[in-house]
Amino acid sequence: MLKVVVFVSGGGTNLKAILDAVEEGRITNACVSAVISNNKNAYALERAKKHGIDAICISPKEFESREEFNRAFLVRVKELAPDLIVLAGFLVVLPETLIREYQNRIINIHPSLIPSFCGKGYYGLKVHEAALSRGVKVTGATVHFVDEGTDTGPILLQKAVKVEDGDTPELLQRRVMEQAEWVLLPQAIDLIANGKVSVADGHAVIAE
Ligand code: GAR
């Protein structure tokens, strides 16, 4: 059974999609053992508690320096002994030590078709604002493994979503979530939990 720890910063609709998929049997061989947030007010923590899941808050603000936070964060994560870490709207830059320690065991959901509208400064609504201001006709979401760069790791799954006339960033964000993110993230976890994913030469490969 794959032990999954989910990192969140906000509302946690992707966390909800994961928990629903586990309960409905769309994710098998995996359980969410804990949820970590940097933000004590994140509604995602409430969602975790409602499901009887350990909800932990650890914020850089509680530490005198970033290094101290990074150290404490790694210790806390190691105590949880996750097999897979899922970044579901986690807006803190991960300590490099953690990325190295959990190489090919951290995935992230990003609300665009990488390599468009990704990297430093592209998160949440900003991604959709950028897509609309560029005038793209198609956008989407990507699940990728996390490496030391920002949104540069091996791509696991992508799904395209149409941009409609009259879209606002908020409308587009909602459509990308409904049609892509909430579908892809549970699917990615299920594939990994069932031994279907390998990473070689910087590419993720899905077994038939
Ligand atoms: C999601 O749209 C996710 O793709 C995005 O934050 C949102 C979190 O929503 N993540 C990023 O932009 C990462 N670069 P949620 O808390 O409702 O799941």
Side-chain angles (χ1 to χ4, degrees):
M1 176 79 77
L2 193 85
K3 204 166 150 188
V4 179
V5 173
V6 184
F7 293 5
V8 293
S9 294
T13 62
N14 278 285
L15 171 68
K16 178 184 187 306
I18 296 167
L19 297 177
D20 288 349
V22 170
E23 279 166 19
E24 290 161 18
R26 285 178 287 114
I27 296 176
T28 56
N29 290 326
C31 66
V32 177
S33 64
V35 172
I36 300 185
S37 179
N38 60 307
N39 169 10
K40 66 176 179 355
N41 299 318
Y43 184 63
L45 290 175
E46 294 307 312
R47 293 190 197 268
K49 284 181 208 155
K50 279 187 194 150
H51 285 258
I53 294 166
D54 220 3
I56 299 157
C57 176
I58 175 164
S59 162
K61 289 182 197 153
E62 297 158 17
F63 297 86
E64 289 202 348
S65 69
R66 195 63 184 208
E67 289 68 35
E68 272 183 47
F69 164 74
N70 284 351
R71 260 194 301 277
F73 191 73
L74 184 61
V75 167
R76 197 73 187 88
V77 171
K78 277 179 155 181
E79 281 167 3
L80 298 169
D83 299 310
L84 179 71
I85 293 170
V86 176
L87 309 186
F90 189 61
L91 301 180
V92 173
V93 175
L94 286 186
E96 283 202 5
T97 42
L98 185 128
I99 295 172
R100 279 196 292 272
E101 183 111 10
Y102 289 89
Q103 200 188 17
N104 297 336
R105 287 190 291 155
I106 310 175
I107 57 171
N108 178 47
I109 178 89
H110 183 77
S112 74
L113 293 174
I114 289 174
S116 289
F117 312 116
C118 64
K120 262 209 168 91
Y122 286 101
Y123 58 89
L125 214 51
K126 290 180 191 296
V127 177
H128 305 292
E129 285 165 358
L132 287 178
S133 102
R134 183 63 183 86
V136 294
K137 306 298 181 207
V138 171
T139 183
T142 302
V143 176
H144 64 92
F145 284 96
V146 173
D147 65 8
E148 280 88 348
T150 307
D151 303 326
T152 52
I155 290 171
L156 176 56
L157 294 173
Q158 293 190 297
K159 191 166 188 286
V161 174
K162 269 192 183 166
V163 177
E164 307 277 4
D165 287 346
D167 263 349
T168 61
E170 290 78 8
L171 282 172
L172 185 57
Q173 179 181 50
R174 181 74 193 182
R175 188 175 321 109
V176 168
M177 283 177 157
E178 281 175 358
Q179 294 185 8
E181 296 187 42
W182 302 340
V183 179
L184 291 185
L185 199 50
Q187 196 185 341
I189 297 169
D190 185 60
L191 286 168
I192 294 168
N194 288 286
K196 300 251 171 76
V197 178
S198 57
V199 182
D201 299 329
H203 287 198
V205 180
I206 302 170
E208 290 299 307

